Amino acid sequence: GVGGSYRPDDGATVNYRVNADALREMVDHIRRSRQVERVDLVGEGSGAEIVADLADEAERIRSVSLSSTWYKELHPGFEAMAMAPEFEALLRSSEDGYWVPNFVAGTLRRVTNQEIRDYVFATQSDLSVPTGTFLEFFDTGLPIIDAVAAQVPALIITSEFNFAPLEDTLNMVNDWGGGGRLAFIEGAGHVSRMQEPEIAAQFFKALFDFIDP
């Protein structure tokens, strides 16, 4: 909910809870307009935190799929960077609560297919994002996702080079109250769908086999 949707005046106020409230409204609109009882939610990165917040609402949600996310741990190297006091100071120094990370270039660093690189840079170029989605790590701490409280099934997708260790993802699968399933994408970077075609195909096969077997 950042790109072309809405932009609050103060990005530091935006976190997964704020977006979960907005998502809940959208879900109810879809249920009414499409006349469906429940919907499946797919979330990536901080979006996984948002959809996980609705995973205890079985009257609205049929299933959730989470990818490129974390539970209770981060890889030590990434944690040292993401939780550094200097990074927190940078985020809090933003006058309007927005920051432009070098996300797309970092995500594509393992991708050699030029057609994919050109497409992603043309359609998903780096945008300013709310600092609140990063500050919640400092203000709230991990875990942000309450796996135990979940009431609906989850597909939890991780990759070989995710920011969290595989053991952390397995712990989330095991703790998932509605029943968790793991999908491990070998050779993938942080965002599996944005990789070489054979890697992205693993991601989408796992996703759609789960949603509509």
Side-chain angles (χ1 to χ4, degrees), residues 43-55:
E44 174 185 281
S46 60
E49 300 167 2
I50 298 167
V51 303
D53 200 56
L54 276 67

Side-chain angles (χ1 to χ4, degrees), residues 10-197:
D10 183 1
T13 64
V14 178
N15 55 37
Y16 79 95
R17 293 185 184 89
V18 172
N19 281 304
D21 289 340
L23 178 62
R24 193 173 287 107
E25 290 186 33
M26 186 179 74
V27 165
D28 285 344
H29 170 73
I30 292 170
R31 292 169 64 215
R32 289 191 301 268
S33 63
R34 298 294 181 180
Q35 297 184 8
V36 294
E37 184 178 357
R38 300 187 297 166
V39 301
D40 302 288
L41 295 178
V42 181
E44 174 185 281
S46 60
E49 300 167 2
I50 298 167
V51 303
D53 200 56
L54 276 67
D56 62 349
E57 302 177 17
E59 72 281 4
R60 286 185 170 94
I61 311 302
R62 189 180 74 148
S63 75
V64 294
S65 298
L66 319 179
S67 67
S68 309
T69 193
W70 34 80
Y71 186 34
K72 297 180 179 180
E73 297 180 63
L74 297 169
H75 274 301
F78 179 71
E79 183 176 21
M81 176 185 67
M83 301 302 293
E86 295 83 2
F87 181 50
E88 181 182 9
L90 171 68
L91 297 174
R92 297 198 188 278
S93 68
S94 171
E95 292 184 0
D96 62 354
Y98 287 88
W99 174 62
V100 182
N102 190 20
F103 172 73
V104 173
T107 302
L108 293 178
R109 66 189 180 91
R110 298 181 184 277
V111 178
T112 59
N113 185 300
Q114 193 59 45
E115 185 177 359
I116 292 175
R117 294 180 64 85
D118 290 345
Y119 175 80
V120 173
F121 277 117
T123 60
Q124 302 177 58
S125 59
D126 285 324
L127 300 168
S128 60
V129 299
T131 59
T133 58
F134 298 92
L135 286 172
E136 65 189 16
F137 287 105
F138 298 96
D139 297 337
T140 304
L142 295 176
I144 293 172
I145 292 175
D146 187 353
V148 176
Q151 297 178 7
V152 301
L155 175 67
I156 301 172
I157 306 173
T158 191
S159 57
E160 186 174 356
F161 303 104
N162 192 23
F163 292 157
L166 177 58
E167 182 180 0
D168 178 70
T169 306
L170 288 171
N171 286 335
M172 179 157 55
V173 171
N174 292 332
D175 288 350
W176 198 264
R181 181 190 303 181
L182 175 72
F184 179 76
I185 312 299
E186 188 174 354
H190 177 53
V191 180
S192 302
R193 66 172 173 82
M194 203 186 293
Q195 304 288 299
E196 303 286 359

